[in-house]
Amino acid sequence: LLQFCFTTLFAQEGKYIIRFTDKAGTPYSLSNPSAYLSERAIERRNRQKIPVDSSDLPITPRYLDSLRAAGAEILNVSKWFNQALVRITDEVILDKINSFPFVIASQRLSPQVMSVQSTGQSQTKSKWDDIETEGKTLPNNSTRVQSDITDYGNSYNQIHIHEGEFLHNQGFKGNGIVIAVLDAGFNSYKSNPALDSIRMKGRILGEWDFVKNEASVNEDHAHGMYCLSAMAANRPGVMVGSAPHASYWLLRTEDAASEYPIEEQNWVAAAEFADSAGADMISSSLGYVSFDDPSYNYSYAQRDGNTSLITRGADKAAQKGILVMISAGNYGTRTDDVKYVACPADGDSVMAVGSVNISGIISGFSSWGPNGAGKVKPSVVSVGQGTVLANAAGNTFASNGTSYSNPNLAGLIACLWQAFPEFNNMEIMRAVERSAHQFSHPDDRYGHGIPNFRKAYEILQAEKELRANSQILGNDHIKAYPLPFTDNLKVLLKGRINGTVLLRLLDGHGRIIETKSLTTVTDLYYNISFTRTFSLNSGVYYIQYDDGLNRTMTPVIRQ
């Protein structure tokens, strides 16, 4: 009898998304964003010219009060999608909530709570057990290069493959950049010697567990701590991460022992928190394709960048000016459509990171990009095979997974953004992609390829200098200067296409004097010099622009 009553009680319990019709009656306003956004979040929007809009407004408080009065427990909310995650213990409560005029719909996101779960026993092994396991401790290996200011120890190769030491040597180690790490837990991070530096320097800004709704993530799964170490470790001669001077929020959204869409809602709630707290970046080594209940699975067609809740949330975070970094997934060896990138790596505005080894060879397990879907995924690749990480004792070990290629790269991007804070999130992302070794011919394994941060720095530095001169263009896409010219003729160009452009210097009879070919990206600036002008006679010449779609002629005068 007791067993029957227990089973009946918990069969009625569930966790649901409740979606609201509007934000009518909210006490918040767009004219006073400081009531719900931090000063840093507002500054990020202002810097990137992103207006505060209705999605930033918190959910109408009386709607949430009505849910509580009906008997629902509110677990978290999403203002971006105007919905709440609630726990309901009786179907009568759900019926009442669905009758409210301000409720659009409800959707179950978790299984019925069974007795084995109530005891804390896991019915499902960790989602990472097959690929990402803590391995044998590596011996300390000082790899100090005389020209480098940092002794990376065992992590040198995963920094050097991107020439990340170029940024570090100039003092760019992530200072002033805030990274929110969304993961399954950060076990023992408070006692890990490899993370002493960020703790002692106050670079852990806070933590929150969106699974248990508590302010502690130190006792949960170690996966997030490993990912954090790839960025934040700072033990010279042992291991130094890719962004040892950045600041971090540690946010748990994933229950590693199970897989249900409730974790997507947790992720969105955490992303909104990161946004409101003023984070610059999100680094998350989580992905969703298959669930413990197959009815929730995402088909290949649904991994289209627009369907899953977590993907829409990741793209929304990018719209708020956050640079969102996501692991591509570890299903590359599958023979079915699960092998393609997971959600939210399918997002249009996120950087999906695949895996290579330290020799730059693609890892077999690294998930594939979409098959003929017209977009490049993964975006880029980094070291996720044999990645050096810190264990709980602060010593190093090597492990596999796009979980680790992602934070390794995210840290270096933080350093790059520190060097060029005037650029927005998408411009930084684009520069990293342009620096990759196969940017001109991406594929569905490497994406754009292995980024090089010396080259990314040079791209942004050139862009910065060109922007300083962008007034030369006015409303034109091309202008020559100085005019009239003598021995030197320069052309300032604003990209009109993503592709190859030809610039030809012609004489008055249309004969070609010199040709320049370059690959442009829409809305980026380029400075081109013509060098065969010293022997030209005085008179009128022409710059011919030709991108295959557009052809223009710009007259120039030789003095």
Side-chain angles (χ1 to χ4, degrees), residues 28 74 83 142 158 274 379 527:
Y28 302 99
I74 296 175
Q83 61 192 31
S142 177
Q158 63 205 45
S379 310
N527 207 347

Side-chain angles (χ1 to χ4, degrees), residues 147-150 152 163-177 203 241-246 411-412 414-421 457:
S147 59
D148 292 342
I149 64 173
T150 302
Y152 295 97
E163 211 170 342
E165 67 271 22
F166 172 80
L167 295 176
H168 293 169
N169 287 338
Q170 296 188 73
F172 301 121
K173 295 188 175 184
N175 303 65
I177 303 297
R203 293 185 177 128
S242 53
H245 292 177
L412 292 176
C415 300
L416 182 68
W417 209 356
Q418 177 197 350
F420 297 96
Y457 182 94

Side-chain angles (χ1 to χ4, degrees), residues 454-507:
R454 179 190 293 271
K455 185 174 180 180
Y457 182 94
E458 292 170 349
I459 288 169
L460 290 171
Q461 184 62 39
E463 178 78 4
K464 182 178 180 179
E465 293 171 359
L466 288 170
R467 287 186 178 188
N469 294 323
S470 62
Q471 66 272 15
I472 296 174
L473 281 173
N475 295 323
D476 299 325
H477 78 97
I478 183 172
K479 267 194 177 179
Y481 67 98
L483 289 180
F485 71 96
T486 54
D487 291 340
N488 297 311
L489 175 62
K490 294 183 179 180
V491 175
L492 183 62
L493 173 70
K494 186 176 183 180
R496 300 180 69 176
I497 67 164
N498 295 328
T500 301
V501 167
L502 294 177
L503 290 180
R504 301 182 181 97
L505 177 61
L506 308 178
D507 66 15

